[in-house]
Amino acid sequence: MKKVLTVVALAGMVTFVACGPSEQEKQAMEKKKQDSINMVMEKMKADSMQAAQMQMEKAKADSLAKVAEQMKQDSMAKAEESGKKGGKKK
């Protein structure tokens, strides 16, 4: 009975070890994992660059709007100043 039990136990262990992933399967899983990580990192980098570009464009637009508003105010102040002096000279 001991011999039969030992043989069954050994057969079970061999079957258990044989059912695990092979070295090639392990390498394929690791490669998939690394590829997935690389894709995520590339997407994060692209998203980050796009966000930075959008911030720069917004800052540029805000700056241009500020300059335009300042020019408008300067023009209005100059017009009021020349109006106080008596208008344009002929």
Side-chain angles (χ1 to χ4, degrees):
M1 186 67 164
K2 271 186 168 180
K3 288 181 182 180
V4 173
L5 203 51
T6 304
V7 170
V8 170
L10 284 174
M13 287 178 17
V14 168
T15 304
F16 181 72
V17 170
C19 290
S22 68
E23 188 63 32
Q24 289 176 340
E25 290 171 334
K26 288 179 184 177
Q27 288 175 354
M29 288 189 303
E30 183 64 28
K31 184 173 181 342
K32 275 186 179 180
K33 180 180 168 185
Q34 287 300 320
D35 289 346
S36 178
I37 290 171
N38 290 340
M39 284 177 37
V40 169
M41 295 299 287
E42 287 176 17
K43 181 164 177 19
M44 287 175 53
K45 182 179 176 183
D47 290 348
S48 176
M49 290 178 68
Q50 183 181 16
Q53 185 177 7
M54 288 175 62
Q55 286 179 338
M56 287 183 66
E57 288 175 4
K58 184 181 181 316
K60 183 179 178 181
D62 290 347
S63 178
L64 290 172
K66 185 177 179 180
V67 168
E69 181 62 29
Q70 185 63 43
M71 288 176 61
K72 180 180 173 184
Q73 289 176 357
D74 290 348
S75 179
M76 290 173 60
K78 191 171 186 177
E80 287 178 8
E81 184 180 304
S82 67
K84 288 180 182 178
K85 288 183 180 179
K88 291 185 177 180
K89 294 183 180 178
K90 292 185 181 180

